Amino acid sequence: GDSVTQMEGPVTLSEEAFLTINCTYTATGYPSLFWYVQYPGEGLQLLLKATKADDKGSNKGFEATYRKETTSFHLEKGSVQVSDSAVYFCALSEADSNYQLIWGAGTKLIIKP
Amino acid sequence: GAGVSQSPRYKVAKRGQDVALRCDPISGHVSLFWYQQALGQGPEFLTYFQNEAQLDKSGLPSDRFFAERPEGSVSTLKIQRTQQEDSAVYLCASSLRDRTYEQYFGPGTRLTVT
């Protein structure tokens, strides 16, 4: 079945550092790919998405490119802030499975001032 | 506008008790999903509704779990004879159309079974 693997956390960075959180997937068809973020005490929020190969999703300075050849969707940000501290989830969905989201385990990001 | 709401936010149940968790989706949203999130893990799919029809319940872990959405709006997830392994956060998400990808999540209900 489909699955998502993302790098384990926690990831600890200093403010203004460059961020990469790796995400790879296995899928039987052509999934859409997502990054969700969960800030402390809050619900899951969609951060960005990409629905086909080579698409780049972007939001709030974060970017991720749908790479079909490497089955990856790595999350990047050029300069992180303390307010980016949260748990980040990579996920996919496919039409064949009623668009249910299949999730990675999450990566906790800690940004120190 | 109002987002997805869930109640209660926290529930403590003694093993063997029945619980009911409520989800109010965004008004007009056709699709509704339930997920279970264990501590330190990503969410796992439980069940999916399109309006009042439950189209997929393949993720429900046992026949103690039951979900309904009788009028195509509010949904209830019921767990009978709760067990300790049922302790988790239960997330509800809704989306506008049956084939849209973007799901909006509620804050979740944290269930602790003692």
Side-chain angles (χ1 to χ4, degrees):
Chain A
D2 294 359
S3 66
V4 174
T5 303
Q6 60 183 106
M7 64 190 290
E8 288 189 23
V11 172
T12 304
L13 296 171
S14 297
E15 207 167 15
E16 298 184 3
F18 184 87
L19 168 71
T20 300
I21 300 178
N22 290 337
C23 171
T24 57
Y25 67 90
T26 59
T28 52
Y30 299 94
S32 292
L33 303 174
F34 307 83
W35 277 100
Y36 278 81
V37 59
Q38 190 168 35
Y39 297 104
E42 299 185 18
L44 285 159
Q45 302 174 26
L46 178 65
L47 180 60
L48 55 84
K49 67 180 181 184
T51 59
K52 61 183 187 296
D54 300 325
D55 270 2
K56 178 186 286 188
S58 61
N59 186 24
K60 299 182 181 179
F62 290 89
E63 293 183 341
T65 300
Y66 189 143
R67 300 286 188 202
K68 193 168 186 298
E69 63 276 13
T70 55
T71 62
S72 65
F73 193 55
H74 304 321
L75 182 68
E76 296 181 335
K77 186 175 185 182
S79 176
V80 292
Q81 306 300 313
V82 172
S83 57
D84 293 328
S85 297
V87 181
Y88 292 80
F89 291 92
C90 186
L92 68 80
S93 73
E94 288 200 84
D96 287 351
S97 54
N98 286 316
Y99 302 102
Q100 63 174 268
L101 287 162
I102 296 170
W103 302 79
T107 303
K108 184 172 184 178
L109 175 65
I110 301 168
I111 306 299
K112 296 189 172 181
Chain B
V4 178
S5 61
Q6 293 185 246
S7 61
R9 291 291 310 276
Y10 303 92
K11 177 69 178 177
V12 178
K14 292 187 177 179
R15 192 172 54 166
Q17 284 185 331
D18 297 349
V19 298
L21 312 180
R22 177 186 168 108
C23 172
D24 283 85
I26 294 172
S27 178
H29 276 199
V30 168
S31 297
L32 187 145
F33 299 80
W34 283 98
Y35 295 88
Q36 180 190 58
Q37 186 176 19
L39 189 64
Q41 301 295 316
E44 292 195 359
F45 170 79
L46 293 177
T47 188
Y48 161 64
F49 289 86
Q50 181 181 320
N51 295 305
E52 69 279 4
Q54 189 175 20
L55 298 186
D56 188 345
K57 53 182 180 180
S58 61
L60 296 177
S62 77
D63 58 8
R64 297 186 295 104
F65 286 70
F66 173 76
E68 60 183 6
R69 193 186 185 198
E71 297 178 359
S73 178
V74 171
S75 178
T76 303
L77 177 67
K78 298 179 179 178
I79 308 173
Q80 298 177 325
R81 305 180 304 280
T82 53
Q83 304 294 315
Q84 282 197 315
E85 61 264 28
D86 300 336
S87 295
V89 175
Y90 291 85
L91 298 167
C92 175
S94 70
S95 63
L96 182 59
R97 292 182 297 276
D98 60 336
R99 289 187 173 274
T100 189
Y101 296 106
E102 186 159 350
Q103 297 180 24
Y104 296 85
F105 282 81
T109 295
R110 182 177 296 278
L111 172 65
T112 303
V113 181
T114 61

